[in-house]
Amino acid sequence: MIAWLWSHFDALRTTLARLARTPVATSLNVGVLGIALALPAGLYVALANVQGYAQSLAANTQLSIFLALDAGASDVEQTATRLRQHPGVGSVRYVSRDEALAQLKRRTGLADVVDSLAENPLPHAFVVQPRDATPQVLEQLREELRGWPKVAHVQLDAIWARRLEAGLRLARLAVWLLATLFAFALVAVTFNTIRLQILTRREEIEVAKLIGATDPFIRRPLLYFGAVQGLAGGLTAWAIVAISLYWLNGGLADLSQLYGTRLELQQLTARDGLSLLLFSAVLGWFGAWLSVKQHLARLDLR
């Protein structure tokens, strides 16, 4: 057992030494792998941020009910009573036309325009929080409320967030397709790198075979070479995504001050980052295994 562990440790040490002896080639290969992995990883992070924002909006889906302009106090009371008794309504908030006009005056900065109006053009309204926020139930509730007396318009807020979520599902499929393509590129780069390693070490491998080296002994450092190179590519991709998001958040901070809201992109989680490293290392190992299997078989070492 100790001998087996030592052989793996020695293969890893040899691999790291070989990578260190060719810093330029190693940096270029790792850079290519990092960029190839950073593109799908960055899109994944972007989708995760947009999805989280859309879900927060969808969770606050509301129905805004606007009464007719000629609706009186009795109409308001009857509508409020029906809404509170409705099984699909969770909560109801009444907004009088005077309150709505005051809010318009306060929030839009159009005080002079509002004061110049001869009469209040805004209707009485209710803001309804439904019990069930599924799209089908919301559509049914909106159609039902539209038919009530003195109801002029029913607006379903944040429905665009649900449409955005449907678009995100399609975008996630595109990200997985892109990740598959770049994973193939990572395997191809590792395959060619190991092929060059085998060709440049042909004589060394032949001598090792002649003195009794086994196939696993010869393959082991090459497989470690591919796995370490893939792992370094994953680390580079993680760094690229983290630095890019840091710079973008710096720009969003200025934008947040202008709009008075908090805008910040979330970084890759530790779980996602470790998954990226494991994924890249496995792909590097797989590319090395394919290359070793194909090219070592061509060497006539008998």
Side-chain angles (χ1 to χ4, degrees):
M1 183 65 179
I2 296 178
W4 181 82
L5 291 175
W6 175 254
S7 65
H8 279 271
F9 175 77
D10 185 63
L12 178 59
R13 180 183 59 81
T14 303
T15 297
L16 295 176
R18 290 184 181 277
L19 289 171
R21 283 198 296 267
T22 56
V24 176
T26 299
S27 299
L28 291 176
N29 285 333
V30 170
V32 170
L33 297 179
I35 293 173
L37 290 169
L39 290 175
L43 289 177
Y44 171 81
V45 174
L47 284 176
N49 279 280
V50 175
Q51 182 179 6
Y53 184 65
Q55 287 177 347
S56 66
L57 291 178
N60 295 323
T61 301
Q62 296 175 334
L63 287 165
S64 298
I65 304 172
F66 300 96
L67 301 184
L69 291 175
D70 59 349
S74 60
D75 298 317
V76 171
E77 184 62 30
Q78 290 177 5
T79 303
T81 301
R82 293 186 66 180
L83 286 173
R84 294 188 181 97
Q85 295 175 350
H86 196 286
V89 174
S91 62
V92 179
R93 182 170 64 88
Y94 170 62
V95 181
S96 68
R97 57 191 307 180
D98 294 334
E99 181 182 351
L101 187 65
Q103 291 180 1
L104 177 66
K105 181 178 178 180
R106 182 174 62 256
R107 295 179 180 178
T108 61
L110 301 176
D112 295 338
V113 176
V114 173
D115 292 337
S116 65
L117 297 175
E119 59 181 11
N120 188 348
L122 301 179
H124 298 293
F126 292 92
V127 178
V128 174
Q129 186 74 42
R131 295 185 185 275
D132 190 344
T134 56
Q136 297 80 3
V137 174
L138 289 173
E139 289 292 342
Q140 294 175 1
L141 182 59
R142 179 170 65 172
E143 292 302 319
E144 178 185 351
L145 296 178
R146 280 177 174 175
W148 286 12
K150 295 298 181 178
V151 172
H153 178 68
V154 180
Q155 178 178 336
L156 182 55
D157 299 334
I159 192 63
W160 66 272
R162 298 184 179 278
R163 294 170 181 167
L164 177 62
E165 175 62 26
L168 287 175
R169 286 195 292 270
L170 179 61
R172 280 193 290 271
L173 293 177
V175 169
W176 281 112
L177 176 61
L178 186 64
T180 302
L181 294 176
F182 280 109
F184 175 79
L186 189 152
V187 172
V189 170
T190 306
F191 183 92
N192 288 325
T193 302
I194 298 300
R195 179 179 65 86
L196 293 176
Q197 287 285 319
I198 294 174
L199 293 178
T200 56
R201 298 172 55 193
R202 179 188 180 98
E203 295 180 356
E204 177 185 341
I205 293 174
E206 290 177 349
V207 171
K209 267 288 191 179
L210 290 174
I211 62 176
T214 62
D215 288 342
F217 179 83
I218 296 174
R219 286 195 301 263
R220 190 175 298 124
L222 297 173
L223 295 178
Y224 270 110
F225 190 96
V228 171
Q229 187 173 251
L231 181 63
L235 285 170
T236 303
W238 195 350
I240 291 174
V241 172
I243 294 173
S244 300
L245 290 176
Y246 177 79
W247 284 343
L248 288 174
N249 281 330
L252 286 176
D254 298 333
L255 191 63
S256 298
Q257 293 179 357
L258 294 176
Y259 285 92
T261 184
R262 179 178 176 82
L263 298 174
E264 183 178 3
L265 297 175
Q266 300 298 318
Q267 294 278 0
L268 271 173
T269 64
R271 179 178 180 181
D272 290 335
L274 292 176
S275 298
L276 173 63
L277 297 182
L278 178 62
F279 179 70
S280 60
V282 169
L283 286 179
W285 180 91
F286 180 68
W289 179 80
L290 287 178
S291 186
V292 169
K293 181 179 180 181
Q294 178 176 349
H295 293 94
L296 281 184
R298 295 180 180 179
L299 296 179
D300 186 9
L301 303 178
R302 297 182 179 179

